[in-house]
């Protein structure tokens, strides 16, 4: 009897201990809450140590209520308890698309990542980084999830760090940066496709079951056919000034993949990272594999608000000198192409001074001696001044520019090599190509193998030598015209690492260059807009949207780019391309970082005088365009006109760019265009700019309140004889 009683007591004690343990586990279950100014992302550490993403949306006043939200969703059965995983692994119970897949050194393909710990670090007054550490319970394999929040901008950068301590190499079959889980009745995607001369063409679709993929396999110029940046409407189609909209993209200059999978519970999973196409990465023990950052923001007031989040963040953290100034410039490409000499350059320097811009940029064609660069068929890689064109060297032009009173910049394409070049003859193994296959050329050129440290040293030396030998060189245009064919490195042991190591090699060169020349202005060009991403932009002051400089086409491209990239980063040039008049071309270029690419000798005196006066007026408004808040007021894909406005941070000044985008004798703007973002209590004087010597203004000394402008609007009065109008607002109280 005593034994029974003792046994019974032990059972009760054991049960009590078990209950206490369970209670302790429930008490230790916790949420990891990332709160920004208006938004919050919440991770949940489950009882079994899984980490799920349970919320991304409006910030709650009471943080303790985040844990209550899961019970409000009455959804179907989750067969795996992994649908909301913060970083879905493959090979165990997962049935959906994974964020990470591996082949362990023993050949096993399973991975089950469990919570270990997390920490949050204060980076600065506006940024915090949270690191969540995950570990497999069987294999010595670890993943860190990094979340860097920018509080004021409501923007998150997410990436992963993958490492292991297995005895031999582990193969990474997939290695994403981020794995989001979103809840909404419906999802509407806007993505962007294109090609050379027709970048950033939007596509809109409602996401259904299955997987929608945005990706690139080009190796370089990876945005040529598809951008990794996208807009996502939650519940409703994407609108400019209302509704919930998520903007995001992979901040990476190599092959990318962004997947959208609607799960069986009707939720959306977004998996973004490096494209694992032809990239089974061999990871050695005790090495860190650091994925690129996936940046994203959410707005509850439409697309425009989300764009302003991106713009403010980019100017602070992602573009060189994003809060500072820019050079306006004159480029020679469309006026001379490859045909120039010192006399012609001096004339262009004088034109630069007369026009009133800051810098003259010498484009392609200044180099090569054994194989002169007189066409795009030779000399890439031979970065020495052509002695016939520039017998006194670049340094003489730098000095000449200084004497004239302007600055001087130069074009390079350092990643590339022409088969007809001295470099190719001396170093045929430095080229990306298959050893036993015919070479295949893109724009008559091949790509240098940046996985090779010797090539990295060479590419760095190209830039360093230019600047060291030519003190006063003030600007570099970095081009990249080719994509990768026949991908192969003659120095890599594992060819599956090639695409990843190429991009890492590019960044190593740029990191080293920027360490020595942190403030030098540089344009990011890639045969047009083939490399516009926040992986490359931290090394550059501006980007080239497209080789298509027809201003009508540029309106659409610049409009779409503005969803993600601020105006200070957009290099917009006035050129001879297009049938529009000079005013229209200048007006389009002025809604960004304006430049010129034309021959003043081909203009009549009235046009020259107009261009000079436009530069002077641009100098008065450029700070508003570069650093103000942008509002897209009329979409040219929905209307017969486009309207984009920029408002200074203190709301004391604004500029409104208006363009008629349909060519018709009867096209006009019949209705006023409503403003957003003004101060309703201020009165604004409305005036028209960029019209000197052309026409009389319609609006002169008109005063309207911010309240009127936002409730009623302002009609730019566009019609066939008045196809482009720029209006300036100045607060008078």
């Amino acid at each position: 009897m005593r034994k029974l009683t003792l046994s019974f007591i032990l059972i009760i004690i054991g049960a009590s201990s078990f209950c206490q343990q369970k209670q302790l586990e429930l008490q230790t279950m916790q949420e990891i809450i990332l709160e920004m100014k208006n938004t919050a992302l919440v991770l949940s550490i489950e009882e079994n140590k899984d980490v799920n993403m349970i919320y991304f949306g409006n910030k709650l006043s009471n943080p303790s209520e985040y844990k209550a939200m899961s019970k409000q969703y009455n959804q179907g059965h989750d067969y795996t308890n992994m649908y909301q995983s913060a970083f879905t692994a493959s090979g165990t119970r997962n049935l959906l698309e994974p964020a990470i897949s591996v082949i362990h050194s023993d050949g096993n393909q399973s991975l089950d990542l469990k919570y270990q710990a997390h920490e949050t670090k204060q980076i600065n007054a506006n940024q915090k980084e949270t690191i969540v550490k995950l570990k497999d319970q069987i294999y010595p394999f670890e993943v860190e999830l990094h979340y860097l929040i920018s509080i004021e901008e409501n923007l998150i950068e997410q990436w992963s760090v993958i490492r292991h301590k297995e005895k031999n190499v582990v193969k990474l079959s997939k290695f994403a940066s981020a794995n989001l889980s979103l809840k909404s009745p419906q999802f509407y995607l806007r993505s962007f496709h294109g090609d050379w001369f027709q970048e950033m063409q939007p596509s809109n679709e409602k996401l259904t079951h299955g997987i929608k993929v945005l990706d690139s396999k080009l190796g370089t110029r990876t945005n040529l056919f598809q951008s990794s940046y996208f807009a996502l409407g939650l519940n409703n189609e994407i609108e400019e000034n209302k509704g919930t909209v998520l903007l995001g993209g992979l901040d990476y200059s190599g092959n990318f993949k962004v997947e959208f999978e609607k799960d069986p519970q009707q939720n959306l999973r977004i998996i973004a990272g490096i494209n694992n196409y032809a990239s089974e990465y061999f990871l050695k023990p005790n090495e860190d594999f650091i994925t690129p950052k996936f940046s994203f923001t959410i707005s509850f007031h439409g697309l425009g608000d989300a764009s302003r989040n991106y713009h403010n963040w980019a100017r602070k953290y992602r573009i060189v000198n994003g809060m500072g100034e820019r050079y306006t410039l004159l480029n020679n490409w469309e006026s001379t192409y490859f045909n120039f000499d010192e006399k012609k350059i001096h004339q262009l320097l004088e034109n630069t001074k007369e026009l009133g811009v800051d810098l003259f940029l010498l484009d392609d064609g200044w180099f090569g001696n054994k194989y002169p660069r007189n066409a795009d068929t030779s000399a890439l890689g031979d970065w020495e001044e052509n002695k016939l064109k520039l017998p006194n060297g670049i340094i003489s032009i730098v000095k000449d520019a200084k004497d004239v009173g302007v600055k001087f910049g130069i074009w390079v394409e350092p990643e590339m090599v022409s088969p007809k070049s001295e470099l190719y003859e001396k170093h045929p193994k430095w080229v990306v190509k298959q050893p036993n296959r015919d070479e295949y050329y893109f724009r008559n050129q091949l790509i240098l193998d940046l996985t090779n440290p010797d090539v990295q040293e060479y590419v760095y030396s190209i830039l360093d030598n230019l600047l060291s030998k030519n003190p006063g060189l003030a600007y570099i245009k970095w081009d990249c015209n080719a994509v990768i064919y026949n991908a192969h490195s003659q120095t890599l042991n594992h060819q599956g690492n090639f695409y990843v190591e190429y991009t890492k090699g590019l960044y190593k060169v740029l990191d080293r260059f920027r360490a020595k020349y942190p403030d030098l202005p540089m344009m990011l060009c890639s045969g047009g807009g083939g490399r516009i991403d926040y992986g490359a932009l931290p090394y550059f002051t501006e980007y080239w949207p497209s080789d298509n400089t027809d201003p009508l086409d540029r309106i659409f491209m610049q409009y779409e780019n503005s969803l993600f990239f601020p105006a200070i980063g957009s290099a917009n040039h006035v050129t001879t391309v297009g049938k529009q008049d000079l005013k229209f071309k200048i007006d389009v270029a002025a809604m960004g970082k304006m430049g010129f690419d034309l021959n003043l000798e081909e203009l009549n005196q009235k046009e020259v005088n107009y261009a000079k006066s436009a530069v002077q007026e641009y100098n008065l408004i450029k700070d508003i365009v570069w650093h103000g808040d942008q509002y897209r007021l009329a979409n040219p894909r929905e209307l017969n006109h486009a309207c984009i406005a920029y408002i200074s941070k203190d709301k004391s000044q604004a500029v409104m760019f208006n363009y008629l985008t349909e060519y018709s004798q009867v096209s006009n703007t019949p209705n006023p265009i409503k403003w957003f973002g003004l101060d309703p209590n201020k009165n604004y004087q409305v005036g028209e700019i960029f019209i000197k010597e052309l026409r009389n203004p319609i609006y002169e000394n008109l005063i309207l309140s911010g309240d009127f402008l936002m409730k009623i609007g302002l009609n730019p009065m566009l019609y066939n004889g008045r196809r482009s109008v720029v209006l300036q607002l100045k607060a008078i109280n």
Side-chain angles (χ1 to χ4, degrees), residues 391-423:
N392 297 301
I394 291 172
I395 190 64
S396 68
I397 306 174
V398 175
K399 292 177 180 177
D400 195 10
K402 184 177 180 180
D403 292 340
V404 170
V406 298
K407 297 184 181 298
F408 177 71
I410 203 162
W411 176 96
V412 293
E413 194 173 5
E415 298 163 71
M416 305 297 164
V417 62
S418 300
K420 191 176 181 180
S421 67
E422 293 184 77
L423 180 67

Side-chain angles (χ1 to χ4, degrees), residues 79-358:
Y79 295 93
T80 64
N81 291 317
M82 291 187 73
Y83 287 179
Q84 295 184 94
S85 174
F87 204 70
T88 312
S90 65
T92 54
R93 66 186 192 276
N94 174 49
L95 299 176
L96 303 178
E97 186 64 28
I100 182 169
S101 297
V102 306
I103 303 174
H104 295 286
S105 56
D106 64 0
N108 190 284
Q109 298 187 65
S110 67
L111 188 63
D112 194 10
L113 297 170
K114 299 294 186 181
Y115 172 82
Q116 296 296 301
H118 74 277
E119 61 176 321
T120 298
K121 301 182 293 186
Q122 190 81 38
I123 305 302
N124 53 52
N126 186 50
Q127 292 185 306
K128 294 180 181 179
E129 182 180 353
T130 297
I131 304 170
V132 182
K133 299 180 180 181
L134 309 175
K135 188 177 184 300
D136 189 89
Q137 302 299 293
I138 305 299
Y139 290 91
F141 192 98
E142 303 173 2
V143 174
E144 289 180 356
L145 305 181
H146 291 247
Y147 301 84
L148 177 61
I149 64 170
S150 294
I151 297 168
E152 285 296 317
E153 294 75 29
N154 296 297
L155 190 139
I156 301 176
E157 302 165 63
Q158 184 180 348
W159 69 99
S160 59
V161 179
I162 304 168
R163 68 175 67 93
H164 71 90
K165 296 181 180 178
E166 299 186 28
K167 293 182 179 179
N168 296 306
V169 166
V170 169
K171 298 176 185 177
L172 305 181
S173 303
K174 192 171 185 183
F175 27 87
S177 297
N179 184 172
L180 306 187
S181 178
L182 305 173
K183 293 183 184 298
S184 178
Q186 306 292 344
F187 300 93
Y188 297 87
L189 177 68
R190 180 176 299 170
S191 58
F192 301 89
H193 64 277
D195 201 341
W196 180 74
F197 236 60
Q198 48 185 332
E199 291 86 345
M200 290 299 284
Q201 305 298 310
S203 294
N204 295 283
E205 60 191 295
K206 181 179 179 181
L207 290 174
T208 58
H209 288 278
I211 299 179
K212 168 71 178 183
V213 179
L214 311 178
D215 77 335
S216 175
K217 306 177 182 71
L218 305 178
T220 60
R221 295 187 68 183
T222 50
N223 290 315
L224 179 62
F225 297 152
Q226 186 93 59
S227 174
S228 77
Y229 292 88
F230 64 90
L232 184 73
L234 280 71
N235 194 30
N236 296 302
E237 294 186 31
I238 297 167
E239 295 189 55
E240 186 67 30
N241 296 301
K242 65 179 181 179
T244 301
V245 178
L246 183 149
L247 288 183
L250 192 70
D251 303 336
Y252 186 61
S253 308
N255 292 343
F256 61 81
K257 180 187 283 188
V258 184
E259 299 166 298
F260 304 85
E261 180 178 27
K262 199 168 183 181
D263 72 21
Q265 292 182 338
Q266 319 308 317
N267 304 318
L268 187 69
R269 304 168 72 253
I270 302 176
I271 297 174
I274 297 174
N275 197 338
N276 55 339
Y277 161 78
S279 296
E280 188 176 65
Y281 194 88
F282 292 74
L283 183 63
K284 296 177 183 177
N286 300 309
E287 287 190 355
D288 285 359
F289 184 91
I290 304 173
T291 68
K293 294 175 179 177
F294 173 68
S295 60
F296 58 103
T297 184
I298 195 168
S299 163
F300 314 103
H301 305 287
L303 185 61
D305 189 52
S307 292
R308 289 184 287 277
N309 287 345
Y310 252 116
H311 297 170
N312 290 328
W313 167 78
R315 284 190 292 256
K316 282 185 183 179
Y317 306 115
R318 280 296 174 272
I319 298 179
V320 175
N321 197 23
M323 305 295 286
E325 298 298 311
R326 293 291 185 272
Y327 291 140
T328 52
L329 60 82
L330 174 66
N331 191 11
N332 71 302
W333 179 245
E334 292 191 14
S335 61
T336 69
Y337 295 99
F338 297 100
N339 185 25
F340 56 83
D341 55 21
E342 285 186 346
K343 182 179 179 181
K344 179 61 178 177
I345 292 172
H346 179 78
Q347 178 186 345
L348 290 166
L349 291 172
E350 295 285 357
N351 289 164
T352 305
K353 181 66 174 179
E354 181 183 5
L355 190 56
V357 296
D358 306 307

Side-chain angles (χ1 to χ4, degrees), residues 601-644:
E601 277 66 36
E602 295 179 0
L603 304 181
N604 60 44
Q605 192 57 50
K606 183 178 180 180
E607 290 173 322
V608 172
N609 292 339
Y610 172 72
K612 290 163 62 176
S613 69
V615 170
Q616 293 172 358
E617 288 188 287
Y618 175 74
N619 288 337
L620 298 176
I621 65 160
K622 64 185 181 183
D623 184 68
I624 306 169
V625 175
W626 294 350
H627 302 116
D629 291 326
Q630 184 202 62
Y631 291 83
R632 292 179 293 267
L633 304 180
N635 187 343
R637 298 190 186 278
E638 298 173 355
L639 302 165
N640 70 342
H641 59 281
C643 176
I644 297 178

Side-chain angles (χ1 to χ4, degrees), residues 509-688:
V509 172
L510 288 167
D511 279 329
R512 186 179 172 192
F513 176 79
R514 274 303 179 195
K516 186 171 181 180
Y517 304 98
D519 301 317
L520 182 77
M522 286 211 303
M523 181 198 292
L524 171 63
C525 182
S526 191
R531 192 183 264 170
I532 305 175
D533 62 77
Y534 283 121
L537 277 171
Y539 304 104
F540 294 85
T541 48
E542 58 222 56
Y543 67 87
W544 183 238
S546 177
D547 284 344
N548 182 350
T549 57
D550 185 302
L552 184 60
D553 290 337
R554 272 297 189 101
I555 290 170
F556 292 85
M557 293 177 186
Q558 291 169 199
Y559 189 97
E560 305 298 352
N561 272 319
S562 77
L563 269 63
F564 310 97
F565 307 104
I568 193 172
S570 181
N572 308 332
H573 289 186
V574 180
T575 76
T576 57
V577 177
K579 298 180 179 180
Q580 302 82 5
D581 61 20
L582 184 61
K583 172 179 168 47
F584 193 100
K585 294 177 178 182
I586 287 176
D587 288 355
V588 173
M591 61 172 178
K593 204 229 74 170
M594 185 169 71
F596 291 82
D597 196 339
L598 43 75
N599 189 344
L600 262 61
E601 277 66 36
E602 295 179 0
L603 304 181
N604 60 44
Q605 192 57 50
K606 183 178 180 180
E607 290 173 322
V608 172
N609 292 339
Y610 172 72
K612 290 163 62 176
S613 69
V615 170
Q616 293 172 358
E617 288 188 287
Y618 175 74
N619 288 337
L620 298 176
I621 65 160
K622 64 185 181 183
D623 184 68
I624 306 169
V625 175
W626 294 350
H627 302 116
D629 291 326
Q630 184 202 62
Y631 291 83
R632 292 179 293 267
L633 304 180
N635 187 343
R637 298 190 186 278
E638 298 173 355
L639 302 165
N640 70 342
H641 59 281
C643 176
I644 297 178
Y646 300 88
I647 302 174
S648 64
K649 292 293 185 182
D650 64 2
K651 302 184 186 299
S652 66
Q653 295 189 74
V655 185
M656 183 188 197
F657 294 91
N658 308 274
Y659 315 100
L660 202 60
T661 54
E662 286 185 4
Y663 279 85
S664 165
Q665 294 298 317
V666 295
S667 290
N668 61 27
T669 47
N671 301 312
I673 299 171
K674 290 183 180 181
W675 281 73
F676 290 82
L678 295 173
D679 185 337
N681 300 312
K682 289 184 185 294
N683 290 319
Y684 294 92
Q685 181 173 319
V686 182
E688 189 172 348

